[in-house]
Amino acid sequence: GAVGFDKGIISFVGPTSTAPPYQKTIDAEGKHLYPGFIATNSSLGLSEIDAVRATRDFDEIGDFVPHVRTAIAYDAESKIVESMRPNGVLIAQVAPRGGLISGSSSVMQLDAWNWEDALLKADEGIHLNWPNPYTSGRWWLGEDPGLKPNKNYTSSLEKIKSFFENAKVYDINQDPIHLPYQAMKGLFYGSKTLYLHAADEKQIVDGIHYLEKIGIVKIVLVGGNEALQQLKLLKEKNIPIIVSRPHRLPDSEDHHPKAAFQLAAELVKAGLLVSIDVSGRMERMYTRNLPFYAGSFAGYGIEKETALQLITSNPAKILGIDDQLETLEVGKQATLFLCEGDALDMRTNIIHHAFIQGRKISLETHQTELWKRYSNKYGKAN
């Protein structure tokens, strides 16, 4: 088979024998061709060194900052961003952190001079961190480390409800402009997506019911560790889920040790649209492991092709860019890569060529430079 593209757009997919002539041909015999992988709910480009406060720009002061835009804070020159490309991660939803409403996320391509060049879809969603109804005791203060009701849960909910209700009735022609309320308006019109960050079952139920009641058109659940307990609700409301990465411990001592690895399979079998969340400990650095997270889910009940959809066509649908990217079809953007073997297996994820919008990109990074330097030194030492 052959795939051809011209001026950044795929123009041919079919048998090699019927392919039209192109200026350049790459021999891909025996190799694997993939659409570029998409990292959802990432904070790539918003922090470079976790221990250096001046390089961290993923969280702003305040509980309600939907008008804060990650797009303009994105650092296209980040060495962490460039380290994604050799593993096939070419697109990312760059999302904020912190507060109750963190801000607005945008979709970026990962080979650019600046944030304007990187931007694929601006301000596509608002991120809401639903309060946890439970809290853990602070063992270092002598408190019982077990779970107990969160005394601040009700007051936090009242704050959220008040903000949403005021945003819903806000007049966009008002003077002076109220930036936070103005940023929320797209949620009620359906032009923006509300990303509900919730892990606990009660968080999921309370969050979905309230958002539907207040008139939010598009909702995506992020995290959803206890989503299996509410499959009926999620299917009824047709809510996509961005599940937490599988390389983590179970949430409680009575959960199955492999529950995190099995979650995606159960959700996919239920007919839900599923993608993978990369947030958590060292999330920016670990985002390069996105294809291996999909591979881990494939090892626990999902077919390889279905696991591949978790980081290609599924996130494209969630982000509303599936008309442009993430399948190898005529008319789509040529954002793809050629791999030695199975890209979901770290042993064979060896990429030879990668393209973003038809432009061949470099696979050299700070890490590959260091690898070559010390490989040469090691070789000379022997």
Side-chain angles (χ1 to χ4, degrees), residues 54 62 72 111 142 174 177 238 253 263 327 337 373 378:
I72 60 175
D111 181 64
Q174 177 180 312
I177 295 172
N238 193 29
E253 59 186 18
L263 177 59
T327 50
F337 64 89
R373 180 202 294 183
Y378 180 82

Side-chain angles (χ1 to χ4, degrees), residues 224-284:
N225 296 4
E226 295 189 358
L228 293 181
Q229 286 89 316
Q230 289 297 326
L231 278 180
K232 182 179 179 180
L233 173 66
L234 295 170
K235 290 180 66 176
E236 178 186 331
K237 306 299 182 183
N238 193 29
I239 294 178
I241 304 179
I242 301 176
V243 299
S244 296
R245 57 189 184 184
H247 298 179
R248 57 184 174 84
L249 294 173
D251 291 332
S252 68
E253 59 186 18
D254 59 348
H255 283 179
H256 191 285
K258 300 296 179 65
F261 291 86
Q262 299 165 344
L263 177 59
E266 296 300 321
L267 295 173
V268 169
K269 290 175 183 176
L272 295 168
L273 184 64
V274 181
S275 184
I276 299 177
D277 171 41
V278 295
S279 66
R281 180 176 175 269
M282 291 186 67
E283 63 181 71
R284 286 163 292 281

Side-chain angles (χ1 to χ4, degrees), residues 194-205:
L194 191 288
Y195 292 91
L196 172 63
H197 294 248
D200 179 83
E201 181 181 2
K202 182 171 175 56
Q203 285 180 292
I204 295 170
V205 174

Side-chain angles (χ1 to χ4, degrees), residues 53-270:
R53 178 65 183 88
T55 73
R56 305 202 306 264
D57 199 13
F58 52 77
D59 187 4
E60 293 292 339
I61 296 173
D63 284 336
F64 299 95
V65 288
H67 57 299
V68 171
R69 307 175 62 214
T70 58
I72 60 175
Y74 176 76
D75 178 14
E77 298 290 342
S78 169
K79 289 184 177 180
I80 299 175
V81 169
E82 73 176 17
S83 72
M84 302 296 119
R85 301 193 292 259
N87 280 3
V89 181
L90 307 183
I91 306 293
Q93 177 197 32
V94 179
R97 300 286 184 260
L100 291 174
I101 296 183
S102 307
S104 174
S105 59
S106 293
V107 183
M108 320 294 277
Q109 55 91 356
L110 304 186
D111 181 64
W113 288 100
N114 50 48
W115 73 266
E116 292 98 330
D117 290 340
L119 194 61
L120 288 179
K121 187 174 182 180
D123 306 321
E124 48 77 34
I126 302 292
H127 292 254
L128 168 63
N129 298 299
W130 198 262
N132 197 320
Y134 306 104
T135 183
S136 298
R138 296 166 295 181
W139 59 266
W140 59 92
L141 295 179
E143 297 176 354
D144 181 1
L147 287 177
K148 55 186 178 182
N150 181 3
K151 296 179 181 179
N152 298 319
Y153 183 64
T154 301
S155 61
S156 296
L157 290 191
E158 290 305 317
K159 290 180 182 179
I160 291 174
K161 292 177 181 179
S162 176
F163 186 85
F164 270 86
E165 288 163 9
N166 288 330
K168 185 174 183 178
V169 299
Y170 172 73
D171 183 358
I172 59 175
N173 298 314
Q174 177 180 312
D175 187 23
I177 295 172
H178 191 287
L179 291 176
Y181 292 161
Q182 187 178 57
M184 296 282 287
K185 296 304 287 187
L187 296 175
F188 302 101
Y189 302 146
S191 61
K192 290 185 179 181
T193 300
L194 191 288
Y195 292 91
L196 172 63
H197 294 248
D200 179 83
E201 181 181 2
K202 182 171 175 56
Q203 285 180 292
I204 295 170
V205 174
D206 289 354
I208 291 174
H209 283 322
Y210 175 72
L211 293 173
E212 184 183 51
K213 179 181 177 181
I214 197 68
I216 302 301
V217 178
K218 295 163 63 177
I219 304 170
V220 173
L221 176 62
V222 181
N225 296 4
E226 295 189 358
L228 293 181
Q229 286 89 316
Q230 289 297 326
L231 278 180
K232 182 179 179 180
L233 173 66
L234 295 170
K235 290 180 66 176
E236 178 186 331
K237 306 299 182 183
N238 193 29
I239 294 178
I241 304 179
I242 301 176
V243 299
S244 296
R245 57 189 184 184
H247 298 179
R248 57 184 174 84
L249 294 173
D251 291 332
S252 68
E253 59 186 18
D254 59 348
H255 283 179
H256 191 285
K258 300 296 179 65
F261 291 86
Q262 299 165 344
L263 177 59
E266 296 300 321
L267 295 173
V268 169
K269 290 175 183 176

